[in-house]
Amino acid sequence: MGTVVISIDAELGWGFHDYPAEQRPTERIARSRQGWKDLAETLDEYDIPATWAVVGHLFEHDCAGAHVGHPSPSGWFAHERGDEPMDEQFRFAPDLIADLVESDVDHDIGAHTYSHVEFDADYATDLLARAECDRATEAAEAAGVTMRSFVFPRNRVGHREILAESGFTCYRGTEPETTADGPYSAPLRKLAQATVVRDPPPLVEPSVDEYGLVNIPASLYLFGFEGPARRVLAATVGDPVVKQARLGIDAAAAEDGICHLWLHPNNLTTEADLDRVRAICAYVDRVRADTDLTVETMRSVADRVRAEDLSVA
């Protein structure tokens, strides 16, 4: 019996605050709150719990642009200050988080650091990583949320020992290396998978690392194949990512292992993007009803794996 896990990098404007202003994807940022709402409504409609890895700053109601004592790089919070700060609705989201907490679906509210720090970057000192964990945890607990799952910004894994010391129990690891043969670039591999390859995205197995954390690797990023090629294929053979996701869901229903899908709310900028998510959720719901497939969150997978590990010990 396999399972499907969906994890969500819930960051609004924080995912791009370290970009130069002229390089920020303004459409994705502008649509990020509506994308969050659409995604939450779709998951609720199909009774699918997900892990929402939330940037801790989004729990705040107001910080007046001041983060006294936070050991961040110079200018890290500059987008909150100056003559043209990023709009508050993309820096704060206690209302959106409250809706998740109050949902009838048992979502897992996890962490995506406090201010979207890349934990393996040169600037990410131990002191900064610990502060990011501490502040995210404190902001969540002030809202009545206890976080145990962790997703690294831009999937750059680092400082796992600090995660463990901060009370987290699991994290999303990176996707396994592709098995595609030949000297192909990543875009060509994606095109081949979308049009020719019949193999599903990899099912993954959670494992306990040396710090006692459960690593739950990703299987498929739902918005990794975009642009004109996607639009052409969608018009001729259907959405290639939906096809890949269905193959992974079918594999999980037939075997042991996890099909771990992930995305950002800010990926949902068009009706076609939302249609992709709705089609995948509807398929999960249909297969779950006809098989032994389960849907879990990262937190529930970690609880199960840790319990099994203790029983073996």
Side-chain angles (χ1 to χ4, degrees):
M1 177 184 69
T3 190
V4 169
V5 170
I6 298 176
S7 58
I8 299 162
D9 297 20
E11 54 196 37
L12 297 184
W14 287 93
F16 310 104
H17 80 97
D18 54 339
Y19 285 24
E22 65 276 9
Q23 294 181 16
R24 292 174 189 158
T26 54
E27 183 180 9
R28 284 183 65 180
I29 295 173
R31 288 282 299 169
S32 59
R33 285 184 69 91
Q34 187 60 50
W36 182 313
K37 293 176 183 178
D38 289 341
L39 180 53
E41 289 174 2
T42 301
L43 293 170
D44 287 0
E45 177 182 351
Y46 291 101
D47 193 24
I48 293 176
T51 293
W52 292 75
V54 178
V55 168
H57 194 285
L58 296 176
F59 283 94
E60 310 279 17
H61 292 266
D62 182 17
C63 67
H67 298 280
V68 177
H70 193 64
S72 51
S74 176
W76 188 250
F77 294 102
H79 69 292
E80 294 195 304
R81 303 162 184 158
D83 296 331
E84 298 182 5
M86 186 182 290
D87 195 299
E88 288 189 0
Q89 65 176 320
F90 306 124
R91 295 186 282 120
F92 306 102
D95 55 327
L96 297 179
I97 299 168
D99 288 344
L100 295 177
V101 173
E102 295 166 6
S103 169
D104 291 335
V105 179
D106 190 17
H107 293 301
D108 167 26
I109 311 299
H112 199 40
T113 73
Y114 179 74
S115 62
H116 209 264
V117 165
E118 297 179 37
F119 268 29
D120 79 334
D122 291 341
Y123 66 78
T125 63
D126 286 356
L127 185 64
L128 177 57
R130 194 175 302 280
E132 285 283 302
C133 288
D134 289 348
R135 292 209 176 190
T137 299
E138 291 166 3
E141 289 180 346
V145 173
T146 300
M147 300 187 297
R148 291 291 178 260
S149 305
F150 194 96
V151 169
F152 293 94
R154 299 178 187 140
N155 294 309
R156 297 183 64 173
V157 177
H159 294 292
R160 288 175 292 132
E161 71 284 3
I162 292 175
L163 259 64
E165 293 168 3
S166 299
F168 293 99
T169 61
C170 60
Y171 62 93
R172 188 179 72 206
T174 56
E175 296 178 24
E177 291 293 326
T178 179
T179 57
D181 295 324
Y184 301 117
S185 66
L188 286 177
R189 283 198 298 270
K190 291 176 182 177
L191 181 61
Q193 289 170 345
T195 57
V196 179
V197 176
R198 296 294 184 267
D199 294 331
L203 297 185
V204 298
E205 291 291 339
S207 60
V208 181
D209 71 10
E210 64 270 35
Y211 303 106
L213 297 167
V214 180
N215 175 10
I216 309 169
S219 299
L220 178 66
Y221 176 37
L222 295 182
F223 288 86
F225 178 66
E226 301 305 301
R230 168 200 168 179
R231 292 191 290 272
V232 170
L233 286 171
T236 55
V237 299
D239 189 326
V241 179
V242 173
K243 168 187 164 184
Q244 280 288 294
R246 285 174 174 169
L247 289 172
I249 294 161
D250 287 342
E255 309 170 33
D256 290 332
I258 295 172
C259 179
H260 186 172
L261 311 174
W262 70 279
L263 72 161
H264 310 82
N266 61 40
N267 289 131
L268 277 61
T269 62
T270 67
E271 283 299 318
D273 299 329
L274 180 57
D275 287 344
R276 171 181 291 180
V277 173
R278 288 186 59 84
I280 292 169
C281 288
Y283 196 72
V284 168
D285 189 47
R286 184 159 68 251
V287 173
R288 175 177 57 182
D290 295 336
T291 68
D292 291 330
L293 180 74
T294 60
V295 178
E296 293 188 78
T297 64
M298 288 176 55
R299 182 171 185 161
S300 64
V301 168
D303 288 346
R304 172 168 55 80
V305 170
R306 286 158 64 93
E308 291 170 356
D309 199 50
L310 287 173
S311 68
V312 170

